Amino acid sequence: LLQALAKHNISVLIYEPLFKQFALPADLLHNLTPFSTHNDLSKEVECLISIGGDGTILDSVTLVRDKKIPILGINFGRLGFLASISKDELTIAVDAIVNRTFVKDKRSLIHLDASVTLFPNEAFALNEFAIHKRDTSPMLKIHTYLNGEFLNTFWADGLIVSTPTGSTGYNLGCGGPIVFPDSNSFVITPVAPHNLNARPIVIPDNNIISFEIETRGEEFICALDARKEIVDKTIQLAVKKEEFDISLVRLNENSFLSTLRNKLTWGMDKRN
Amino acid sequence: LLQALAKHNISVLIYEPLFKQFALPADLLHNLTPFSTHNDLSKEVECLISIGGDGTILDSVTLVRDKKIPILGINFGRLGFLASISKDELTIAVDAIVNRTFVKDKRSLIHLDASVTLFPNEAFALNEFAIHKRDTSPMLKIHTYLNGEFLNTFWADGLIVSTPTGSTGYNLGCGGPIVFPDSNSFVITPVAPHNLNARPIVIPDNNIISFEIETRGEEFICALDARKEIVDKTIQLAVKKEEFDISLVRLNENSFLSTLRNKLTWGMDKRN
Amino acid sequence: LLQALAKHNISVLIYEPLFKQFALPADLLHNLTPFSTHNDLSKEVECLISIGGDGTILDSVTLVRDKKIPILGINFGRLGFLASISKDELTIAVDAIVNRTFVKDKRSLIHLDASVTLFPNEAFALNEFAIHKRDTSPMLKIHTYLNGEFLNTFWADGLIVSTPTGSTGYNLGCGGPIVFPDSNSFVITPVAPHNLNARPIVIPDNNIISFEIETRGEEFICALDARKEIVDKTIQLAVKKEEFDISLVRLNENSFLSTLRNKLTWGMDKRN
Amino acid sequence: LLQALAKHNISVLIYEPLFKQFALPADLLHNLTPFSTHNDLSKEVECLISIGGDGTILDSVTLVRDKKIPILGINFGRLGFLASISKDELTIAVDAIVNRTFVKDKRSLIHLDASVTLFPNEAFALNEFAIHKRDTSPMLKIHTYLNGEFLNTFWADGLIVSTPTGSTGYNLGCGGPIVFPDSNSFVITPVAPHNLNARPIVIPDNNIISFEIETRGEEFICALDARKEIVDKTIQLAVKKEEFDISLVRLNENSFLSTLRNKLTWGMDKRN
């Protein structure tokens, strides 16, 4: 990959921990500049290449933040809803980068405000915000409000507020629907709800969703994507749409619909 | 009700079949003008009062069509998601009509285009468009497209495309999510799907959804709300957002959230 | 197949409509005796071979009835939960028949009693008994009793009482669980229930389940497997375990667990 | 209660921590014998009265163990699936105790065997055995075997093996079915499964279900009812039916069906 990019005189910044890990051949080095943090990334960077799975993309998002640098995910992992370019498409991907012919898909993020500082500088998620009971606690009583108006109290192990991007992930395992990326919506989905008549709820993403938690325990878990913090039950939490978007790079060949069909193995049910 | 409206010098048009059914006292008659069809209703009419349940509202929608006359539903039936004003609130409702203090909630409709004429002049629904197999037929194979691009083939007894308004109805019984009225979305929900990995899908309501049906039978059922037609399996079908909206009258006292909580008996689970 | 069986001096009875359909070579004829109905089948017949899919097995069950003749299903169709022997295993299957080394899996049936005669001589099902609304009717109100004691009223499009064998079929598409063949249970699963807190219910198969139907229509549908009858709403219906069982032939190589994993494509989720 | 029992010359043993908590009047004392542990309870005890909610019953079960003493649950808590006698029925309950007219409902337990000692002397549950990921871990890969034969690998937050008694609890919130107490079955229900085609599975309770866990973390959680232990991922786990049963006392007036209807608020759906 690096060689291919060098051949086209494309300057490459490389994530420092990764840079140190590999002994790279000298002829590639002049073309590489290491970077470590969000601050080292200039807005002029045209594309951040994430090599791994969807988890690596979620990490990349915390590096890019509001810099509008599109993320190109090459999928070496299992899942690949986000990292939609497979190893076999590497050459096509390099061509697309060189010729700037790739498509940018805007994806909305969800932002967390809390009464104590949580996830400093990274209080957003591409997939979902989630509340969970601690391992050994009984279920939570999650009082939920939309723009300050009471919605419902969920008795549950937890609750997810998923973006469209996250709808095909954890949300789906908890009975939530698939939501298309350009739906301007969030999904509120309870995890193992005690209330028999609780259902996933799709709301416009201009809503502010806030929470108060009641539990016989002292603490619960707050999660943004794979990042988790243990918080005191007196905390006040609210989520809303993040002010900035993330762009995911897609090759012209791969549409959201074909990815969806492929990943969910639609059409592969052997009973058909 | 009629007396109360007469007292405030409000002219009332009355649906002719209803008018004939009741022997009304003479002093009310001067204030009443019967009407029978959509064409008899002037756009100047300020409010159409639907007395009954949600089914009556669905009928009223076919009378109002694109005339932008708000519908005020007084609930004598069971359900009352749409007919949100209870008999006990009649006086408040009359006051609201007299003083024009009611709130109008815009609800989107779904429109059906077909390769043969179906539901002439009424090819729209407030709740949902649905495809169903006939009584005695085996399941359908429903090839589904978004804006002409293939989405998936559902092997199922049927398929629903629900508006947000319809999401709390039939869609909910088939495992679909609750969708808020202002979500600009449709939900595609299969009925008794054979595919294990089929899931309800939320899409923006600017999509055109089209269908091709395969079945060992000759016919299947097309439904717009409670209206049904038996169609030949060679028919081409497409649904999209209807060009006009319907306005439902709501009293200030009743929000969508409180109706939702009340109708789904949230908070009434005795196991809590 | 016939040649292979003839070689081993196995006498073969052949279903008459099938016999007439094919022009069979003369050297096979001496070995074949045609049969048409249940009554032509002797209890001495060691094995009935069903060639087709699961639907063909369901038909064979109505030929075998209480004669305890095991059914060997060779799968030429799509599904194959019941017809568990694939075309490629034909030679192994013939060997198993010749050597009587096959395994017989006992499967319970569900029996229907009704206040008018329905499905004469065939009032049983291998997969499920089902109640359905007619295509153009509104939903049914299905009052359900266990051994005469009131269980619940389901407001729904229909209701399934599934045997363990049927649990992987229609029941699964309506949200019911997989039930193992030797569970001595039935599953009661509503179809598109209006009640939000209705859930599939597993009961011991020594229960008698009876129904009373309320509907604004006049008729509804009763189904035993793929066989359907339109009935008047005043009918009284009760189902219980059938007195006789059916035996399905299985090759030693194929266990229920491997069939289950294979048919449900467990382990083939591409997101893993 | 104590006074009522004394009046009928019924000797009462009282749980020591409770005994110390209340200053009881002297005239009751001669009739009371405190007890602290399972060993203090004689098999001759005719009935253990559990005052509280379902949680208190679960605690009582660990006191009674295999002594076949029936447990009478008086419901002061919220839930009351197990503690089926309400405060208002106290007098009827005392009469039933005095006259020995109560009904004993046998409930099966689930027993846990593990490669290291877990839950010493209390390795059984009335509701369910559960595996859970730790709060901060990614999902588990749960390899599941029936009698040593591979069933499936569940990618999930956890997995429940529920008794019929537990089926109306946590199992129900995770999409599992209601299972009748006399069904001789267990339900295997994944918690937030990643596999789209995973479904709850009902198996006869004479199966041995064993597990191997794969996780990127080091530990996971094992639970028997509300009791939890953190275990190392190398542990071997197997569950089966416990050798002894528990008897729950029921008044003649309350059937399982009426409790079920009442607790799940069937018939109270306001949309009906």
Side-chain angles (χ1 to χ4, degrees):
Chain A
L1 175 62
L2 289 170
Q3 277 161 340
L5 292 172
K7 216 186 299 174
H8 291 93
N9 284 321
I10 302 218
S11 303
V12 175
L13 281 80
I14 187 163
Y15 189 48
E16 192 151 21
L18 203 69
F19 179 64
K20 288 185 173 150
Q21 205 178 323
F22 296 101
L24 290 165
D27 59 335
L28 283 175
L29 287 182
H30 72 281
N31 197 37
L32 291 173
T33 319
F35 75 96
S36 310
T37 68
H38 169 71
N39 294 325
D40 300 339
L41 277 176
S42 153
K43 285 193 181 181
E44 266 77 64
V45 173
E46 282 179 88
C47 178
L48 187 144
I49 301 177
S50 160
I51 299 175
D54 282 2
T56 320
I57 297 248
L58 294 179
D59 294 342
S60 307
V61 168
T62 65
L63 284 172
V64 168
R65 293 185 202 167
D66 57 352
K67 292 216 166 145
K68 297 183 186 303
I69 304 167
I71 300 173
L72 184 151
I74 297 175
N75 182 14
F76 278 72
R78 287 189 317 258
L79 202 73
F81 251 106
L82 304 174
S84 65
I85 296 164
S86 74
K87 284 178 287 189
D88 312 332
E89 294 172 304
L90 211 59
T91 327
I92 309 175
V94 169
D95 283 352
I97 295 170
V98 170
N99 303 318
R100 278 77 173 170
T101 56
F102 53 74
V103 184
K104 290 185 231 171
D105 279 340
K106 275 199 182 172
R107 300 298 181 98
S108 60
L109 304 172
I110 190 163
H111 174 87
L112 171 66
D113 287 311
S115 54
V116 301
T117 307
L118 290 180
F119 308 99
N121 296 320
E122 299 179 354
F124 52 82
L126 178 56
N127 274 340
E128 74 262 317
F129 165 74
I131 289 167
H132 283 283
K133 73 181 190 68
R134 293 226 53 188
D135 309 90
T136 48
S137 307
M139 70 172 77
L140 302 176
K141 226 167 138 177
I142 306 170
H143 307 293
T144 307
Y145 303 82
L146 292 188
N147 304 318
E149 192 185 356
F150 178 57
L151 170 66
N152 191 20
T153 296
F154 297 94
W155 297 62
D157 277 8
L159 186 132
I160 303 166
V161 185
S162 170
T163 65
T165 301
S167 73
T168 50
Y170 192 39
N171 166 68
L172 210 53
C174 295
I178 297 165
V179 179
F180 266 51
D182 49 351
S183 294
N184 300 318
S185 298
F186 290 137
V187 197
I188 302 175
T189 303
V191 180
H194 188 72
N195 326 47
L196 275 179
N197 39 19
R199 287 292 181 280
I201 304 169
V202 177
I203 56 168
D205 65 6
N206 60 4
N207 278 273
I208 297 173
I209 311 145
S210 55
F211 304 99
E212 281 173 355
I213 311 293
E214 238 182 288
T215 164
R216 275 185 278 163
E218 289 307 306
E219 296 169 325
F220 65 96
I221 311 275
C222 251
L224 288 168
D225 292 339
R227 291 165 283 136
K228 287 168 189 177
E229 295 210 17
I230 296 165
V231 299
D232 190 89
K233 72 173 166 182
T234 59
I235 200 171
Q236 304 282 317
L237 296 166
V239 293
K240 62 182 182 197
K241 194 181 171 185
E242 180 56 88
E243 281 166 24
F244 53 88
D245 289 320
I246 281 289
S247 291
L248 295 181
V249 168
R250 173 165 63 80
L251 299 183
N252 261 314
E253 285 74 11
N254 310 325
S255 75
F256 176 73
L257 262 63
S258 64
T259 303
L260 193 63
R261 272 201 312 279
N262 190 28
K263 296 301 171 193
L264 303 187
T265 66
W266 285 353
M268 298 193 62
D269 192 323
K270 284 211 180 164
R271 300 187 306 159
N272 287 343
Chain B
L1 174 64
L2 290 171
Q3 278 162 339
L5 292 171
K7 215 185 304 174
H8 291 92
N9 285 320
I10 303 220
S11 303
V12 175
L13 281 79
I14 188 163
Y15 189 47
E16 192 152 21
L18 203 68
F19 179 64
K20 290 186 174 151
Q21 205 179 323
F22 296 100
L24 290 166
D27 59 335
L28 280 176
L29 287 182
H30 72 280
N31 197 38
L32 289 174
T33 320
F35 75 96
S36 308
T37 68
H38 168 72
N39 294 326
D40 301 339
L41 277 176
S42 152
K43 285 194 180 181
E44 265 77 66
V45 173
E46 282 181 87
C47 178
L48 186 144
I49 301 177
S50 160
I51 299 175
D54 283 0
T56 321
I57 297 249
L58 295 179
D59 294 342
S60 307
V61 168
T62 65
L63 285 172
V64 168
R65 293 185 203 167
D66 57 351
K67 291 217 168 143
K68 297 186 186 303
I69 303 167
I71 299 172
L72 184 151
I74 296 176
N75 183 14
F76 279 73
R78 287 189 317 258
L79 203 74
F81 251 106
L82 304 174
S84 66
I85 296 166
S86 74
K87 285 177 286 188
D88 312 332
E89 295 171 305
L90 212 57
T91 329
I92 310 176
V94 170
D95 284 352
I97 295 170
V98 171
N99 303 317
R100 279 75 172 169
T101 56
F102 52 74
V103 184
K104 290 185 232 170
D105 280 340
K106 275 198 182 171
R107 298 299 181 98
S108 59
L109 304 171
I110 189 163
H111 175 87
L112 170 67
D113 286 312
S115 55
V116 300
T117 306
L118 291 180
F119 309 99
N121 296 322
E122 300 179 354
F124 51 83
L126 179 56
N127 274 340
E128 73 262 319
F129 165 74
I131 289 166
H132 282 285
K133 71 181 192 66
R134 294 224 54 188
D135 288 341
T136 48
S137 309
M139 70 172 78
L140 303 176
K141 226 169 138 177
I142 307 168
H143 307 293
T144 308
Y145 303 82
L146 292 189
N147 304 318
E149 192 184 356
F150 178 56
L151 170 65
N152 191 20
T153 295
F154 297 95
W155 296 64
D157 277 7
L159 185 132
I160 303 165
V161 186
S162 171
T163 66
T165 301
S167 71
T168 50
Y170 192 38
N171 165 68
L172 210 53
C174 295
I178 296 165
V179 179
F180 267 50
D182 49 351
S183 293
N184 300 318
S185 298
F186 290 137
V187 198
I188 302 174
T189 302
V191 180
H194 188 72
N195 327 46
L196 276 179
N197 39 20
R199 288 290 181 281
I201 303 171
V202 177
I203 56 168
D205 64 7
N206 59 3
N207 278 273
I208 297 173
I209 311 146
S210 55
F211 305 99
E212 281 174 355
I213 310 293
E214 238 182 289
T215 163
R216 275 184 279 163
E218 288 308 307
E219 296 169 325
F220 65 96
I221 310 275
C222 251
L224 287 169
D225 292 340
R227 291 165 283 135
K228 288 167 188 176
E229 295 209 19
I230 296 165
V231 299
D232 190 89
K233 71 173 167 184
T234 59
I235 199 172
Q236 304 281 317
L237 297 167
V239 293
K240 62 182 180 197
K241 195 181 171 186
E242 179 56 88
E243 280 166 25
F244 53 88
D245 289 320
I246 281 289
S247 291
L248 296 181
V249 168
R250 175 166 60 81
L251 300 183
N252 261 314
E253 285 73 10
N254 309 326
S255 74
F256 176 74
L257 262 64
S258 64
T259 303
L260 192 64
R261 272 201 313 278
N262 190 26
K263 295 301 170 194
L264 303 187
T265 66
W266 285 352
M268 299 192 62
D269 191 324
K270 285 213 178 163
R271 299 188 307 159
N272 287 344
Chain C
L1 175 63
L2 289 171
Q3 277 162 341
L5 292 171
K7 215 185 304 175
H8 291 92
N9 285 322
I10 302 218
S11 303
V12 176
L13 281 79
I14 187 163
Y15 189 48
E16 190 152 23
L18 203 68
F19 178 65
K20 290 187 173 151
Q21 206 179 324
F22 296 101
L24 290 166
D27 60 335
L28 282 176
L29 287 182
H30 71 279
N31 198 38
L32 290 175
T33 320
F35 76 96
S36 308
T37 68
H38 168 71
N39 294 325
D40 300 340
L41 277 176
S42 152
K43 284 195 181 181
E44 267 76 66
V45 173
E46 282 180 89
C47 178
L48 187 144
I49 301 178
S50 161
I51 299 174
D54 283 0
T56 319
I57 297 249
L58 295 179
D59 293 343
S60 308
V61 168
T62 65
L63 285 171
V64 169
R65 292 186 204 165
D66 57 350
K67 292 217 167 141
K68 297 185 186 304
I69 304 166
I71 300 173
L72 184 151
I74 297 176
N75 182 14
F76 279 72
R78 286 189 318 258
L79 203 74
F81 250 106
L82 304 174
S84 66
I85 295 166
S86 74
K87 284 177 287 187
D88 313 332
E89 294 171 305
L90 212 57
T91 328
I92 309 175
V94 170
D95 284 352
I97 295 170
V98 172
N99 304 317
R100 279 76 171 170
T101 56
F102 53 75
V103 184
K104 290 184 232 169
D105 280 340
K106 275 200 182 170
R107 298 300 180 97
S108 59
L109 304 171
I110 189 163
H111 175 86
L112 171 67
D113 286 313
S115 53
V116 301
T117 306
L118 290 180
F119 309 99
N121 297 320
E122 301 179 354
F124 51 82
L126 179 56
N127 275 340
E128 75 261 318
F129 165 74
I131 289 166
H132 282 285
K133 71 181 191 65
R134 294 225 53 188
D135 19 44
T136 48
S137 308
M139 70 172 78
L140 302 176
K141 227 168 137 176
I142 306 168
H143 307 293
T144 308
Y145 302 82
L146 292 188
N147 304 318
E149 191 183 357
F150 178 57
L151 170 65
N152 191 19
T153 295
F154 296 95
W155 296 64
D157 277 8
L159 185 130
I160 303 165
V161 185
S162 171
T163 65
T165 301
S167 71
T168 50
Y170 192 38
N171 165 70
L172 209 53
C174 295
I178 296 165
V179 178
F180 267 51
D182 49 352
S183 293
N184 300 318
S185 298
F186 289 137
V187 198
I188 302 174
T189 303
V191 180
H194 188 73
N195 326 47
L196 276 179
N197 39 19
R199 287 291 180 282
I201 303 171
V202 177
I203 57 167
D205 64 8
N206 59 3
N207 277 273
I208 298 173
I209 312 146
S210 56
F211 305 98
E212 281 174 355
I213 311 294
E214 236 181 291
T215 162
R216 275 184 278 163
E218 287 308 306
E219 297 170 325
F220 65 96
I221 311 274
C222 252
L224 286 169
D225 291 340
R227 291 165 284 136
K228 287 168 189 176
E229 295 210 17
I230 296 164
V231 298
D232 190 88
K233 71 173 167 183
T234 59
I235 199 172
Q236 304 281 318
L237 297 167
V239 293
K240 62 182 182 197
K241 194 180 171 186
E242 180 56 88
E243 280 165 25
F244 52 87
D245 288 321
I246 281 289
S247 291
L248 295 181
V249 168
R250 175 165 61 79
L251 300 183
N252 262 315
E253 286 73 11
N254 309 325
S255 74
F256 176 73
L257 263 62
S258 64
T259 302
L260 192 64
R261 272 201 312 278
N262 190 26
K263 296 301 172 193
L264 304 187
T265 66
W266 284 353
M268 297 192 63
D269 191 324
K270 284 213 178 162
R271 299 188 306 159
N272 288 343
Chain D
L1 175 63
L2 288 171
Q3 277 161 340
L5 291 171
K7 218 185 300 176
H8 292 91
N9 284 322
I10 303 220
S11 303
V12 175
L13 281 80
I14 188 164
Y15 189 48
E16 190 150 24
L18 203 67
F19 180 64
K20 290 189 172 149
Q21 206 178 322
F22 296 101
L24 290 166
D27 60 336
L28 282 175
L29 288 182
H30 72 279
N31 197 38
L32 289 175
T33 320
F35 75 96
S36 308
T37 69
H38 168 72
N39 294 325
D40 300 340
L41 277 176
S42 153
K43 283 193 183 182
E44 267 75 66
V45 172
E46 282 180 88
C47 179
L48 187 144
I49 301 177
S50 160
I51 299 175
D54 283 1
T56 321
I57 297 250
L58 295 179
D59 294 342
S60 307
V61 168
T62 65
L63 284 171
V64 169
R65 293 184 203 167
D66 56 352
K67 291 217 167 143
K68 297 184 187 303
I69 304 167
I71 299 173
L72 184 151
I74 297 176
N75 182 14
F76 279 72
R78 286 189 318 257
L79 203 75
F81 252 106
L82 304 175
S84 65
I85 296 165
S86 74
K87 284 177 287 188
D88 312 332
E89 294 172 305
L90 212 57
T91 327
I92 309 174
V94 170
D95 283 351
I97 296 170
V98 171
N99 302 319
R100 278 78 173 169
T101 56
F102 52 75
V103 184
K104 290 185 230 169
D105 280 340
K106 276 200 182 171
R107 299 299 181 97
S108 59
L109 303 171
I110 189 163
H111 175 86
L112 170 67
D113 285 313
S115 54
V116 301
T117 307
L118 290 181
F119 308 99
N121 296 320
E122 300 179 354
F124 52 82
L126 179 57
N127 274 339
E128 75 261 319
F129 165 74
I131 289 166
H132 282 285
K133 72 181 192 65
R134 294 227 52 189
D135 6 50
T136 48
S137 308
M139 69 173 76
L140 302 176
K141 226 167 138 177
I142 306 169
H143 307 293
T144 308
Y145 303 82
L146 291 189
N147 304 319
E149 192 185 356
F150 178 58
L151 170 65
N152 191 20
T153 296
F154 296 95
W155 297 63
D157 277 7
L159 185 131
I160 303 166
V161 186
S162 171
T163 66
T165 302
S167 72
T168 50
Y170 192 39
N171 165 68
L172 210 53
C174 296
I178 297 166
V179 179
F180 267 50
D182 49 351
S183 293
N184 301 318
S185 298
F186 290 137
V187 197
I188 302 175
T189 303
V191 180
H194 188 72
N195 325 47
L196 275 180
N197 39 20
R199 287 292 181 281
I201 303 170
V202 177
I203 56 168
D205 64 7
N206 59 4
N207 278 272
I208 298 173
I209 312 146
S210 56
F211 304 99
E212 281 174 354
I213 310 294
E214 236 182 288
T215 163
R216 275 184 279 163
E218 289 308 307
E219 296 169 325
F220 66 95
I221 310 275
C222 252
L224 287 168
D225 292 340
R227 290 163 284 136
K228 288 168 189 176
E229 295 210 17
I230 296 165
V231 299
D232 189 89
K233 71 173 167 183
T234 59
I235 199 171
Q236 303 282 319
L237 297 167
V239 292
K240 61 181 182 199
K241 195 182 170 185
E242 180 55 88
E243 282 166 25
F244 53 88
D245 288 321
I246 281 289
S247 291
L248 296 181
V249 168
R250 175 164 62 80
L251 299 183
N252 263 314
E253 286 74 11
N254 308 324
S255 75
F256 176 73
L257 263 61
S258 63
T259 303
L260 192 63
R261 272 201 313 279
N262 190 25
K263 296 301 171 195
L264 303 188
T265 66
W266 285 352
M268 299 192 62
D269 192 323
K270 285 213 179 165
R271 299 188 306 159
N272 288 341

